[in-house]
Amino acid sequence: MASGNVEIVRQMLDDYAHREFDQALSAFASDVVWESRIGERFHGREGVAEAVRRWTGAFADFEFEVQELIDSGDTVVMVLRQVGRGKGSGASVKMTMAWLYRLRNGKIIRVSMFADREDALTAAGRPADR
């Protein structure tokens, strides 16, 4: 089912990109935990929606591009590039980061954000390619 996990994450991202937010949220377990890079935790699907609103709400313009989805059994590492312009400051922001999705029974049960690909791969129990 490992490749199925990548497809679950890919479909959720596609639904989000097409503004099918309820469909995207259905990929998450009802008791999902979302952990931000700064230690905030959000619980449940409502928490996921709040985490996304907080992050994207800080930008006047926001785009993301998935660069990689890496299959690691019950986890999927997503490397993404984000580009935006701050709402208050107008400052341009460009960053690459990695998110780790843990899945169980076809649902995302945990999302953890990392500064880089290597940290996310390590958390997934995979050696990082150097």
Side-chain angles (χ1 to χ4, degrees), residues 78-89:
M78 173 180 67
V79 179
L80 73 153
R81 184 168 191 272
Q82 300 176 94
V83 178
R85 186 172 44 85
K87 224 178 229 180
S89 67

Side-chain angles (χ1 to χ4, degrees), residues 70 72 117-118 120-130:
I70 304 165
S72 189
R117 181 181 190 272
E118 289 72 26
L121 286 171
T122 298
R126 283 181 64 146
D129 332 308
R130 300 265 177 204

Side-chain angles (χ1 to χ4, degrees), residues 53-95:
R53 269 192 299 274
R54 283 188 190 184
W55 179 251
T56 59
F59 297 95
D61 299 310
F62 178 79
E63 295 179 25
F64 73 95
E65 175 190 347
V66 176
Q67 296 182 322
E68 266 185 294
L69 288 174
I70 304 165
D71 186 354
S72 189
D74 65 348
T75 63
V76 175
V77 173
M78 173 180 67
V79 179
L80 73 153
R81 184 168 191 272
Q82 300 176 94
V83 178
R85 186 172 44 85
K87 224 178 229 180
S89 67
S92 178
V93 176
K94 295 178 185 176
M95 71 177 81

Side-chain angles (χ1 to χ4, degrees), residues 19-79:
R19 305 184 66 79
E20 298 288 338
F21 301 126
D22 288 340
Q23 187 63 31
L25 282 174
S26 73
F28 295 87
S30 60
D31 60 346
V32 63
V33 176
W34 181 294
E35 300 171 308
S36 76
R37 281 185 44 206
I38 60 171
E40 294 174 301
R41 283 184 179 217
F42 299 87
H43 299 273
R45 291 182 183 129
E46 302 80 20
V48 169
E50 177 62 21
V52 171
R53 269 192 299 274
R54 283 188 190 184
W55 179 251
T56 59
F59 297 95
D61 299 310
F62 178 79
E63 295 179 25
F64 73 95
E65 175 190 347
V66 176
Q67 296 182 322
E68 266 185 294
L69 288 174
I70 304 165
D71 186 354
S72 189
D74 65 348
T75 63
V76 175
V77 173
M78 173 180 67
V79 179

